[in-house]
Amino acid sequence: MRIGVMGTGAMAAALGGAWARAGHEVFVGGRDTAAAAALAGRIGAAGHGTVAAAAAYGEVALLAVPAGRAPELAREHAAALAGRTVVDCTNPLEPGPAGVMLATAPGASVAALIGAAAPGAHVVKAFNLAHSSAWEQPPGAFGGERPAVPFCADDPVAAGRVEELITGMGWSPMPAGGLDRAAYVEATAAFVIGVWWAGGSPRLAFPEVPGAAA
């Protein structure tokens, strides 16, 4: 696939790099074109340039920017994103007195806000539950069982593209419903990251009993 990466931060580097290694054609776009050029060179991207150029590039666009900026960026480039798969990997989090909290209103999600800002785009919520360093690991790095990537999507073509991106990285797709369920995935990130910051392991909260029915 041809993928336009909108952003030059840690998630842009991790996911863009993983997709370039998997054989996809990646274009990095940023407000700082020098930073975009540096990242493109580091991850082996096919090209680099502005955010607008990335938004108009290929079948898939990755919004790898701060959550508060993502809907605004989608609105600015709504025409270019129309008809394309737009991957939202952001987490709308902020510190609270008792730990990490969601910055969105109850029941809202950044993914839905992006969809409203660019109504012609096919938004998919994905890749927001693991640290950026996890996406940099080669296939097989987590042992015999592939770790899962929950994702929410309304459009079946967009869902299929994201599933292909996930499996090509050595992970396993975990369909989590339509975009109306993205708020649950974002809330899960608040829980998971809060546990990490407290020094715990979220994995231990979800033990599986051998042979038990789901």
Side-chain angles (χ1 to χ4, degrees), residues 34-201:
L39 177 56
R42 179 154 58 92
I43 67 174
H48 59 84
T50 64
V51 174
Y57 190 86
E59 302 94 337
V60 178
L62 171 70
L63 274 171
V65 296
R69 169 78 172 130
E72 177 187 350
L73 197 64
R75 184 175 295 106
E76 291 175 7
H77 301 286
L81 296 175
R84 304 181 60 220
T85 299
V86 177
V87 180
D88 167 30
C89 67
T90 71
N91 281 316
L93 306 179
E94 60 186 13
V100 179
M101 303 293 290
L102 287 172
T104 48
S109 71
V110 174
L113 294 174
I114 292 169
H122 303 302
V123 181
V124 181
K125 185 77 190 188
F127 304 106
N128 71 307
L129 292 185
H131 188 269
S132 59
S133 60
W135 310 119
E136 298 173 338
Q137 303 304 309
F142 298 96
E145 189 171 8
R146 290 187 170 201
V149 181
F151 69 93
C152 298
D154 290 336
D155 182 76
V157 173
R161 286 173 176 160
V162 170
E163 287 185 348
E164 182 180 343
L165 293 176
I166 292 169
T167 55
M169 298 165 64
W171 293 60
S172 175
M174 180 181 284
L179 207 61
D180 57 351
R181 296 185 61 83
Y184 299 116
V185 179
E186 293 179 3
T188 301
F191 164 73
V192 167
I193 294 171
V195 171
W196 279 333
W197 285 2
S201 173

